[in-house]
Amino acid sequence: MANGALSSAGLAFIARWEGYRGRLYNDAAGHCTIGYGHLVHLGRCNGSEPPIFLDGITNKEGLDLLNRDASKAVRSVNAEVVVPLTQHKFDALVSFAFNVGPQAFADSTLLKKVNLGQHKLVPAQMALWTNHGLPGLVNRRRAEAKLYVQGDYQ
C-alpha cells in the first residue's frame, strides 16, 4: 500500500490540465462547475448555487477546491498501489486517477503493471486512455507518462 501525498508540483500539474475558471459555468456535460473543474451540483447553473460561489472564486480558492477534489484520487492511489513510488510517479498516478476516476484506475491494467513493478510499461497503458484519441487527452497522457518516467512536471 502506497502512503503518499500529492505534492504542490503535482497539484499545479493537474491544475494546468484542468484549467481555471473563476466564475460558475456549465461544463461539457452540462453540470454547474467552478474553478478547476469543481462540480458545484449536477445540472445547469440555475441561481441555486451556494452563496460562496455566486460572486466567483479566486485562483487560490480554486486550487484549494482542486486539492480537496483530488483527495479521492490520492486515497485511491494509496489504497491500490502496493509497491513503493517516487513522488513524481505518485503525482502522475494521482493525475491519471483524478481524470479517469478512482474506480477506473482501480480496475485498470495500468495499475496491474505498476503493482508488478513494470514501470516501463506504464506509459503505453496511459496512452490507451484517450477517449478514442481526443487531442487534449492524448497530450495529457503524454505529459503524465513523461512525469511518471522522467519526473518532468512540465
Side-chain angles (χ1 to χ4, degrees):
M1 186 186 248
N3 189 19
L6 183 63
S7 71
S8 58
L11 181 66
F13 178 86
I14 296 170
R16 279 193 305 276
W17 288 106
E18 293 299 318
Y20 167 75
R21 291 177 69 177
R23 297 252 176 226
L24 291 165
Y25 67 97
N26 297 310
D27 68 10
H31 301 301
C32 191
T33 307
I34 198 165
Y36 292 94
H38 174 74
L39 178 67
V40 175
H41 63 72
L42 295 176
R44 300 184 68 73
C45 298
N46 59 19
S48 70
E49 293 74 36
I52 60 170
F53 296 133
L54 294 178
D55 291 327
I57 61 172
T58 65
N59 185 57
K60 182 183 180 325
E61 290 168 326
L63 287 170
D64 290 344
L65 286 170
L66 177 61
N67 197 34
R68 278 191 272 159
D69 291 346
S71 67
K72 292 175 189 156
V74 168
R75 283 192 303 273
S76 179
V77 172
N78 280 327
E80 301 296 339
V81 174
V82 298
V83 297
L85 295 172
T86 60
Q87 185 66 55
H88 63 88
K89 281 180 171 44
F90 184 86
D91 289 346
L93 292 178
V94 169
S95 176
F96 179 82
F98 179 78
N99 186 245
V100 303
Q103 191 60 56
F105 171 70
D107 294 340
S108 70
T109 301
L110 181 149
L111 175 62
K112 290 177 181 67
K113 301 298 182 192
V114 170
N115 282 336
L116 289 171
Q118 297 174 337
H119 299 290
K120 290 182 180 183
L121 301 178
V122 170
Q125 287 299 312
M126 285 179 168
L128 299 174
W129 292 80
T130 62
N131 201 8
H132 305 288
L134 287 176
L137 285 178
V138 169
N139 293 335
R140 182 175 182 151
R141 296 299 173 251
R142 284 183 186 147
E144 288 168 343
K146 190 173 182 184
L147 175 55
Y148 189 86
V149 173
Q150 299 174 7
D152 185 346
Y153 284 83
Q154 300 304 315

